[in-house]
Structures are given as structure tokens and as C-alpha cells.
């Protein structure tokens, strides 16, 4: 197996700002572990961006009806990376209009890579990426202290669920466990 890829999932203002309806109360605590991991791994940073209204299909229409504050152009500042990690995306970002970032990541990593997942939200974009990547043949490690959930309870539930997929998905407690 080749060198693992660190994937920093969606470290964006929309998920970090305390006043955002999607802001994670855990976000601030993950910045240092993410940076520690990035210092040791080749790194990919992803962004969730909304598809334009005319390109949305099925459930995404209802989704944006429920969350109208996020129905903005992809280049809106709400979807910018947080300043603490912008340098990690010096080669750009992998943008996707879906919660899961696989197969957009596969276009960069190739098939069946080893992925180390971090980011936000553990119970949405991280879990969606982990399950799809593992199902496609990737080896996935999720670093608990480098992920932020919508709530601490939902974070723990998502980690427990992903741990059920061992050995394709393993959950490491901390950055130093890798």
C-alpha cells in the first residue's frame, strides 16, 4: 500500500462559525490535531458546495427548502475555508455537491487508497465519505480527535457506527495513534 492520504473534510466557515445553523461546537478543538496530522501526511482538503438550483435532483430540493440559509452560490464566503487551515489547501480543494466526497477523492487518490479522515461533520460528511470509500475498496482510518460532530453525542454515535466496519474502517482516538 502506498503512503496514506490525509483528507480534511469541509473545514469551512459554514461548519465552524458558532452563529451558523450548521456550526459544530467541537470545531475549534480539531484544528490542532488536523494540523499535526497534515505535517506528517500528503493532504487533500475538501469543500461542500451547493449545486445550482437548476442542477439539483430529488431530495436536494427538499434539503434546501429546509435549509434556505445555505442556498447560495458556491463562491459565497460562507463556504470559504477557515483561516486556520487555508495553507493546507495550497494545491486547491476537492469540491463536491454531496455530503460524501468519494468518488471526487478517487479522482485524486486513485482506486483503493489508504485514507486518514478528519474534519466536519463526523455524523454527516465524514461518515458519508468513509462508508462510500470503504465500500469502493479504500482502507479508511478516522481520527476521532480530529473530527467534529454536530453535537458530541452525534459525533460519538457516528464513530461507533464506523467502527462496525472494521477492518475496512478503523477509528483511531488521536493523531498520535497513527
Amino acid at each position: 500500500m502506498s503512503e496514506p492520504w490525509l483528507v480534511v473534510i469541509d473545514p469551512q466557515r459554514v461548519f465552524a462559525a458558532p452563529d451558523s445553523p450548521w456550526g459544530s461546537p467541537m470545531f475549534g478543538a480539531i484544528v490542532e490535531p488536523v494540523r499535526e496530522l497534515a505535517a506528517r501526511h500528503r493532504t487533500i482538503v475538501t469543500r461542500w458546495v451547493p449545486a445550482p438550483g437548476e442542477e439539483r435532483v430529488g431530495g436536494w430540493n427538499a434539503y434546501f427548502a429546509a435549509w434556505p440559509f445555505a442556498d447560495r452560490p458556491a463562491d459565497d464566503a460562507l463556504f470559504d475555508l477557515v483561516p486556520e487551515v487555508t495553507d493546507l489547501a495550497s494545491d486547491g480543494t476537492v469540491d463536491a455537491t454531496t455530503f460524501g466526497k468519494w468518488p471526487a477523492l478517487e479522482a485524486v487518490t486513485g482506486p483503493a487508497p489508504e485514507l486518514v479522515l478528519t474534519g466536519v461533520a463526523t455524523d454527516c460528511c465524514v461518515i458519508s465519505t468513509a462508508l462510500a470509500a470503504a465500500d469502493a475498496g479504500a482502507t479508511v482510518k478516522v481520527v476521532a480527535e480530529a473530527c467534529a460532530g454536530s453535537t458530541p453525542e452525534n459525533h460519538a454515535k457516528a464513530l461507533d457506527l464506523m467502527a462496525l466496519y472494521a477492518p475496512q474502517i478503523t477509528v483511531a482516538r488521536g493523531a498520535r495513534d497513527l
Side-chain angles (χ1 to χ4, degrees), residues 21-22 56 61-72 78-79:
W22 290 346
R56 293 185 192 137
N61 291 308
Y63 187 82
F64 283 100
W67 298 104
F69 89 96
D71 194 2
R72 303 173 185 210
L78 187 65
F79 306 116

Side-chain angles (χ1 to χ4, degrees), residues 3-171:
E3 177 186 353
W5 292 89
L6 174 69
V7 180
V8 184
I9 298 174
D10 306 349
Q12 298 165 263
R13 294 173 189 232
V14 66
F15 304 117
D19 62 340
S20 169
W22 290 346
S24 168
M26 304 171 69
F27 191 89
I30 72 168
V31 172
E32 205 47 49
V34 165
R35 294 197 63 78
E36 180 182 330
L37 288 161
R40 298 182 303 187
H41 293 86
R42 56 188 173 166
T43 302
I44 300 169
V45 178
T46 72
R47 284 187 334 133
W48 176 83
V49 293
E54 66 275 3
E55 294 179 22
R56 293 185 192 137
V57 296
W60 285 107
N61 291 308
Y63 187 82
F64 283 100
W67 298 104
F69 89 96
D71 194 2
R72 303 173 185 210
D75 62 354
D76 189 282
L78 187 65
F79 306 116
D80 288 350
L81 299 179
V82 296
E84 298 90 342
V85 300
T86 55
D87 63 309
L88 302 182
S90 59
D91 293 329
T93 58
V94 172
D95 293 353
T97 59
T98 56
F99 299 139
K101 303 309 182 271
W102 193 266
L105 286 170
E106 184 182 23
V108 177
T109 66
E114 183 176 346
L115 303 176
V116 176
L117 300 186
T118 66
V120 65
T122 317
D123 46 312
C124 185
C125 297
V126 174
I127 196 170
S128 296
T129 301
L131 295 178
D135 199 38
T139 301
V140 178
K141 294 179 183 170
V142 178
V143 183
E145 79 167 344
C147 291
S150 60
T151 67
E153 297 79 18
N154 289 343
H155 170 76
K157 288 176 185 178
L159 292 172
D160 288 345
L161 179 80
M162 287 184 281
L164 295 173
Y165 284 81
Q168 291 146 307
I169 300 174
T170 57
V171 176

